[in-house]
Amino acid sequence: MRPGSLEVISLRVSRRGRPVFDDVSLSLGAGQALRVEGPNGSGKSTFLKAVAGLLAPDAGSVRWVDEDGGDGVGQRRASTLYIGHRAALRDDLSAAENLRLSLALSGHAARPGELDDAARTWGLGEVWHRHARELSAGQRRRVALARLSVSFRPLWLLDEPSAALDRHGIATLRDAMTTQLARGGIVVYAAHDEFAAHRGDTACLRLEPSRAFH
């Protein structure tokens, strides 16, 4: 994993001609986490998608620069692991098959035993070979988050990752974030509850409808 830095410069995004947020600027370096918070409709998911390069902003820019000086949307996407609010699983595939497919689509070939280790870490052993349609909301969320254990990209963008998780799942998520930051990665996550990657040392971006604060 090549650590890098993330810069968001005067970012503005609109939806149906109306501003979602405007003039958001921030910078994050290796080992830093950012919590994005705000009420429903404030643009948390939109912000993460813009940073991921999944939608184009109206104004401003997002830059990812790795230790080799690489920059650009392609470089940013190759360095980013984005997990949206929806688990985005195929119901006709098992938990294991869903994880294997998501890794293949991202160009990652799992090492022998790596998926089994991820299943144990996220408490998925009993449902590992069950179809996704049979899983609870919490189990589906854990299948999606199991990518954190096997896809070592320096920038994580996570949309409400703690949603539907029980206490064990939240502890596992926080452990994964801590490991990512310790190895020089960056974590940006949206949250509507009290979940935080750290207690007291996580930067915060507060979004309000039509306005953004940092």
Side-chain angles (χ1 to χ4, degrees):
M1 181 177 77
R2 288 194 181 116
S5 61
L6 176 69
E7 274 192 272
V8 177
I9 305 167
S10 301
L11 199 66
R12 182 176 75 227
V13 175
S14 298
R15 184 185 299 130
R16 301 184 186 92
R18 301 182 63 180
V20 179
F21 52 78
D22 188 18
D23 197 27
V24 176
S25 296
L26 58 90
S27 61
L28 296 169
Q32 291 187 304
L34 174 71
R35 173 187 166 99
V36 183
E37 60 182 37
N40 290 339
S42 60
K44 299 187 297 296
S45 297
T46 299
F47 175 78
L48 290 179
K49 289 178 180 177
V51 173
L54 298 176
L55 60 82
D58 300 308
S61 61
V62 179
R63 296 182 66 236
W64 170 262
V65 181
D66 65 24
E67 60 186 8
D68 293 331
D71 190 10
V73 174
Q75 185 77 9
R76 182 176 11 132
R77 287 179 176 171
S79 301
T80 299
L81 173 59
Y82 168 81
I83 298 180
H85 179 58
R86 295 179 181 273
L89 305 182
R90 287 190 52 172
D91 285 342
D92 58 329
L93 298 181
S94 69
E97 289 167 338
N98 267 288
L99 180 56
R100 190 175 292 111
L101 175 62
S102 67
L103 292 177
L105 291 175
S106 67
H108 177 81
R111 297 185 299 271
E114 194 171 31
L115 296 186
D116 290 336
D117 289 343
R120 283 190 291 271
T121 296
W122 291 92
L124 294 167
E126 294 183 0
V127 301
W128 198 225
H129 298 291
R130 289 171 56 184
H131 285 140
R133 70 169 65 92
E134 304 173 41
L135 306 183
S136 68
Q139 290 166 339
R140 292 173 67 92
R141 172 58 58 179
R142 282 186 277 140
V143 172
L145 292 173
R147 294 175 60 191
L148 302 179
S149 297
V150 294
S151 183
F152 303 115
R153 297 194 173 190
L155 176 60
W156 286 2
L157 303 175
L158 312 177
D159 195 351
E160 298 193 5
S162 62
L165 292 181
D166 58 14
R167 184 177 300 178
H168 176 267
I170 289 175
T172 303
L173 172 60
R174 187 171 282 119
D175 286 346
M177 287 179 159
T178 299
T179 298
Q180 168 76 349
L181 298 174
R183 63 191 177 205
I186 295 173
V187 179
V188 181
Y189 63 101
H192 72 283
D193 52 21
E194 297 303 315
F195 175 81
H198 289 296
R199 298 189 185 279
D201 60 346
T202 297
C204 180
L205 170 67
R206 174 80 183 177
L207 296 176
E208 300 287 350
S210 301
R211 300 195 327 180
F213 301 91
H214 176 58

